Amino acid sequence: MSAAKLIVATVVLGAGTFAFRFAGPVLRARVELSPRVEKLMAISAVTLLAALVATAALLDGHEFVGFARPAGVAVGGLLAWRKAPFVVVVLAAAATAALLRLLGVP
């Protein structure tokens, strides 16, 4: 791909991203959503995030990653739910996965 095409693609993607971000506040004043639709949108965002976390925690490509990574994610999730500091969450999750792998758990 030539440099000119790369620059044009970057500018087009940047303009599209700006247009989407700008359209939200502008259209929010014009479009009225029912409380049921707003609740469904909030639930769908949480569901999508949970699916992303589950996929990243359990799979590497199409293969199951073993039990160490999901255990680390579970420990991190529990600590985040208990409102532990972010550094503690990350370190505890990494330490859990590393300790389990050190003990031979895949």
Side-chain angles (χ1 to χ4, degrees):
M1 180 180 275
S2 70
K5 287 182 182 179
L6 186 62
I7 291 171
V8 169
T10 303
V11 170
V12 168
L13 286 173
T17 301
F18 177 78
F20 273 114
R21 293 181 69 105
F22 182 74
V26 170
L27 294 178
R28 180 70 178 151
R30 295 182 182 183
V31 176
E32 183 80 24
L33 298 176
S34 70
R36 183 172 185 264
V37 171
E38 287 185 10
K39 183 178 178 182
L40 286 173
M41 289 177 71
I43 291 170
S44 66
V46 171
T47 303
L48 183 61
L49 182 60
L52 177 64
V53 168
T55 302
L58 298 173
L59 300 173
D60 186 15
H62 294 290
E63 300 291 322
F64 178 64
V65 294
F67 295 100
R69 187 191 303 174
V73 171
V75 167
L78 179 67
L79 289 173
W81 177 61
R82 302 283 297 170
K83 298 190 181 348
F86 181 71
V87 172
V88 172
V89 170
V90 171
L91 290 177
T96 300
L99 181 63
L100 287 172
R101 287 186 178 140
L102 185 64
L103 294 173
V105 176

